[in-house]
Amino acid sequence: MISDDAEALALAAALADEFRAGASERDAERRLPRAELDRLSDSGLLAVTVPAEYGGADVSAQTLAEIFRLLGSADGSLAQIPQSHFAYVNVIRRQGTEDQQKFFFAELLAGRRFGNAQSEAGTKHIQDIRTRLTPRPDGSYRLTGVKHYSTGALFADWIPVLARTEDDNLHVAYVPSGAEGVTVVDDWDGMGQRTTAGGTVRLEAVAVPADRVLPHHLTFEGPQLHGAVAQLLHAAIDAGIAGGALAEAAEFVRTKSRPWFESGLETAAEDPLLIQRFGELALQVRASEALLIQAAKAVDAARANLNDDSAAEASIAVAAAKVYAAQAAVEVAGALFEVSGTRSAVNSLNLHRHWRDARTHTLHDPARWKIQHIGRYVLNGTRPPRHGLL
């Protein structure tokens, strides 16, 4: 059990240091982080957003974002796996009945993990969800569909599934990973975030009790922070990748890089041109971290006084943090090679994992639409739309 924010942060920092040691090897061998996820579960970190009245630490958004930034700085794949876990904890917090909350929060406090099965391939767009929950005479449902990019599903105890009912409303069905008719296929072959096991989930006439289905469409009928919190964690992962790449670049230059002959210096770390470039990269990392903190504070403020205006302000702050962190992650991870020199491109060193993780993760949803919503809000006072990506 984690009792408060300070304990959660200290534990996250310690685990990040532990996970960092094997991150490159796991990526190179595509060795899935089962043991590391078990450590996360056993630590209690996956239950830190359980409300206090149910025995949880109920940490702030600022603390949760910092947990993900720390994990992202150590391993961009490992940090991605629990992102959906916390998003679907929030669904229970907002839409769960008292009995549902009591049951699932107890599961979380016992170390159970949520995966996800939300995205579908070959549809018109990402919100064109064709997986169906069909009612049965006894009040339960039959769940049928195919999901892709199901990060964490292979490691999950429960798989939250986005599906539509006969009235086309969106629901979340919480399905045990071992339920009859559920097949999780480890077929993710992305160039980055290689060990998230974000593969395919097949659902063939899966029986789902009524009390394991939550009305997700209601989440977006009023002011909400579901999308802001989910995107905040994505921004934290990107900021973490940027910081991790910068730290590894600095270590490489200090210990392995040779000085350019024209500098006349003994070490590469003394080169004023490299020093200048590291300063520029550090500004990007620091700015991404500052925007992350600002966004998290906006989410916490909105949670304390939720209305249309506070929710909009939180969404815009998170959008700004996400856009900037995504840019920083890709640019800093790419600049690692620029500052480190030719040897850094040796495949066996696997320094390219930072860029591969950044480039893959930042494809999650387009930054250009976030910039549009920021511009509309600033210029015309137009609040951002209510959906899970803002």
Side-chain angles (χ1 to χ4, degrees):
M1 287 288 190
I2 292 174
S3 59
D4 56 27
D5 293 59
E7 185 180 353
L9 289 172
L11 186 54
L15 286 176
D17 286 341
E18 179 182 323
F19 298 155
R20 184 177 289 108
S24 179
E25 186 178 346
R26 285 192 299 273
D27 173 87
E29 299 175 359
R30 199 179 180 273
R31 191 175 75 240
L32 302 181
R34 297 179 187 275
E36 289 75 17
L37 281 173
D38 287 343
R39 290 279 289 126
L40 268 180
S41 292
D42 293 342
S43 74
L45 276 178
L46 297 184
V48 292
T49 58
V50 171
E53 58 266 34
Y54 290 93
D58 201 8
V59 301
S60 67
Q62 187 173 349
T63 292
L64 188 62
E66 178 63 5
I67 289 170
F68 272 79
R69 190 195 67 80
L70 288 167
L71 294 176
S73 72
D75 186 336
S77 284
L78 184 57
Q80 178 64 32
I81 294 171
Q83 190 275 336
S84 293
H85 170 94
F86 284 100
Y88 286 105
V89 174
N90 278 347
V91 174
I92 295 169
R93 289 187 60 144
R94 187 169 174 88
Q95 298 302 336
T97 65
E98 184 177 350
D99 286 343
Q100 288 171 328
Q101 290 180 346
K102 187 179 298 183
F103 174 80
F104 279 115
F105 291 152
E107 287 285 282
L108 293 166
L109 291 170
R112 306 289 187 266
R113 293 193 289 263
F114 291 165
N116 93 83
Q118 51 189 20
S119 294
E120 299 181 14
T123 57
K124 185 176 181 180
H125 49 69
I126 64 168
Q127 293 196 343
D128 180 14
I129 303 296
R130 299 179 184 179
T131 299
R132 284 295 183 264
L133 277 166
T134 306
R136 303 171 73 187
D138 63 358
S140 66
Y141 294 90
R142 191 175 301 280
L143 178 64
T144 302
V146 179
K147 298 290 188 174
H148 297 81
Y149 312 117
S150 302
T151 301
L154 195 68
F155 311 113
D157 299 292
W158 292 89
I159 302 176
V161 181
L162 279 185
R164 296 193 184 276
T165 48
E166 288 183 321
D167 57 8
D168 212 37
N169 282 327
L170 195 62
H171 290 67
V172 179
Y174 289 76
V175 179
S177 58
E180 185 176 354
V182 175
T183 304
V184 182
V185 183
D186 180 18
D187 57 0
W188 169 243
D189 65 348
M191 68 173 182
Q193 294 195 309
R194 300 180 67 218
T195 60
T196 60
T200 300
V201 174
R202 300 186 183 280
L203 306 149
E204 300 177 8
V206 179
V208 183
D211 62 357
R212 297 293 179 263
V213 177
L214 279 71
H216 194 33
H217 62 283
L218 298 180
T219 299
F220 307 104
E221 289 192 356
Q224 51 83 35
L225 297 171
H226 178 81
V229 172
Q231 290 288 302
L232 180 71
L233 303 187
H234 283 305
I237 293 168
D238 288 338
I241 292 172
L246 182 62
E248 189 145 9
E251 177 66 16
F252 192 94
V253 170
R254 283 193 298 264
T255 61
K256 296 182 177 65
S257 294
R258 296 183 297 178
W260 184 243
F261 72 94
E262 290 180 282
S263 71
L265 299 169
E266 291 297 314
T267 68
E270 297 174 282
D271 185 338
L273 299 181
L274 276 181
I275 290 170
Q276 174 73 20
R277 189 69 177 118
F278 269 96
E280 294 167 351
L281 297 174
L283 286 177
Q284 289 184 273
V285 172
R286 285 174 176 263
S288 70
E289 293 171 353
L291 284 170
L292 184 68
I293 292 171
Q294 184 183 65
K297 287 181 176 180
V299 171
D300 283 327
R303 183 174 288 163
N305 182 28
L306 186 60
N307 54 52
D308 286 335
D309 290 334
S310 65
E313 190 63 36
S315 288
I316 292 298
V318 170
K322 177 66 167 61
V323 169
Y324 195 89
Q327 293 173 348
V330 172
E331 292 178 17
V332 174
L336 181 154
F337 304 100
E338 170 197 336
V339 297
S340 300
T342 306
R343 187 181 174 191
S344 63
V346 173
N347 192 58
S348 61
L349 294 175
N350 201 25
L351 294 177
H352 46 69
R353 71 180 175 87
H354 299 288
W355 184 87
R356 289 187 289 102
D357 285 347
R359 184 65 281 175
T360 300
H361 182 248
T362 54
L363 298 176
H364 183 273
D365 55 280
R368 58 187 177 273
W369 277 97
K370 288 179 169 53
I371 295 171
Q372 281 284 310
H373 292 308
I374 293 169
R376 291 169 184 171
Y377 183 74
V378 171
L379 184 59
N380 299 316
T382 304
R383 296 189 187 107
R386 294 170 178 160
H387 56 61
L389 297 171
L390 274 172

